Amino acid sequence: MTSIFQQHMGADFGRLHPEIRRRFSVGLDSGEACVGRGTMARISHGARFVKPFLRLGGTRNILVPREGRDVPFVIENFPYVDSFGRETVTFVRTFHLPDRPHRFDATMVLSAERDCVLDYLGTHQHLASDLHLKAEPDGSLLIRSGEHRFREGPVDVRVPSLIGGEAEVRESFDEESGRFRIRVTVTNRHFGFLFGYEGSFTAEYVDVSTQGPRTDLLPLREEARA
């Protein structure tokens, strides 16, 4: 057994920088979780019309409804088995903005059917995005989103490109500073830049071989559809 990310990437996983490999080896097999702490140099929004959608998403811990500079940041990646028996890894990001902390929640599972890592967004997993991971020549990790779907009760629809966002995540390790560097951008093919953040953090690893994640990291609702 290997992590869901290693299973998805196959031999390409070995081309990642060793520190990136360890971060994305978190899982039930490794018995480790990863907690990153650092600072986001900036959190940015696109055009003004985007802001109401970001505020709406913020009610379910999707994206971040405020902009900011030099924002303290925590990311918590804990593995667990969800109620459908799937190995799952939390990606709970907390941005400590001046008004209050804002969370951007996601939970990830491996989808053999879709040949991707499936990223459920928010507290209720109403949005699901296909993620494709690739090692870059310098050992950094490139993640690009594919199709997005909205699920609510019997509703299961593909999010059209007119309103959907295409996410790109680049994560690298800086040998000199001993810090991970991350840059996230979300764009729309019709309207351009929507949302993004970039910064750096350090990581510590937590033994979770005998216990699961904190309950406050788990989604309030789980979605069975892949």
Side-chain angles (χ1 to χ4, degrees):
M1 290 291 291
T2 54
S3 75
I4 61 173
F5 310 104
Q6 186 172 355
Q7 291 178 65
H8 168 63
M9 294 180 68
D12 198 36
F13 189 80
R15 301 183 181 95
L16 295 170
H17 186 284
E19 293 292 340
I20 300 286
R21 283 204 305 270
R22 185 177 183 190
R23 238 185 69 68
F24 284 84
S25 291
V26 298
L28 299 175
D29 188 47
S30 71
E32 283 190 331
C34 180
V35 179
R37 293 184 173 86
T39 303
M40 291 300 106
R42 65 173 183 88
I43 304 170
S44 304
H45 295 170
R48 185 177 297 273
F49 74 85
V50 173
K51 296 182 184 296
F53 296 99
L54 292 174
R55 286 196 293 269
L56 178 62
T59 65
R60 291 292 176 91
N61 292 357
I62 300 174
L63 302 179
V64 183
R66 293 285 302 272
E67 295 182 280
R69 298 276 181 175
D70 300 321
V71 178
F73 166 84
V74 179
I75 181 167
E76 297 174 280
N77 304 120
F78 277 75
Y80 68 101
V81 178
D82 74 5
S83 58
F84 304 107
R86 302 173 297 189
E87 179 172 357
T88 308
V89 180
T90 68
F91 273 71
V92 174
R93 290 145 285 200
T94 305
F95 300 83
H96 292 274
L97 286 152
D99 61 333
R100 63 176 178 84
H102 292 267
R103 274 180 43 164
F104 179 9
D105 292 6
T107 40
M108 299 190 186
V109 302
L110 181 66
S111 175
E113 176 186 351
R114 302 187 64 82
D115 190 25
C116 69
V117 171
L118 193 59
D119 187 17
Y120 292 110
L121 299 177
T123 55
H124 290 67
Q125 296 190 344
H126 284 140
L127 285 174
S129 298
D130 295 351
L131 297 183
H132 303 280
L133 286 68
K134 176 186 176 185
E136 295 285 83
D138 63 355
S140 62
L141 176 64
L142 172 63
I143 306 174
R144 286 196 171 107
S145 66
E147 184 175 290
H148 307 288
R149 291 170 305 286
F150 176 80
R151 277 82 178 264
E152 172 64 52
V155 177
D156 184 0
V157 296
R158 185 177 181 274
V159 177
S161 64
L162 182 65
I163 61 173
E166 298 174 357
E168 181 177 283
V169 179
R170 292 182 180 269
E171 186 167 321
S172 61
F173 185 77
D174 185 335
E175 294 272 2
E176 186 173 340
S177 65
R179 297 176 70 85
F180 293 87
R181 299 195 178 278
I182 187 166
R183 184 171 76 250
V184 175
T185 57
V186 181
T187 58
N188 178 278
R189 66 181 62 182
H190 304 284
F191 303 111
F193 176 77
L194 301 179
F195 168 81
Y197 59 87
E198 64 177 296
S200 67
F201 59 93
T202 59
E204 63 176 312
Y205 295 91
V206 180
D207 183 356
V208 291
S209 56
T210 58
Q211 61 182 18
R214 302 192 319 268
T215 56
D216 65 303
L217 297 179
L218 303 181
L220 300 178
R221 166 190 174 271
E222 292 181 335
E223 174 60 59
R225 289 167 286 192

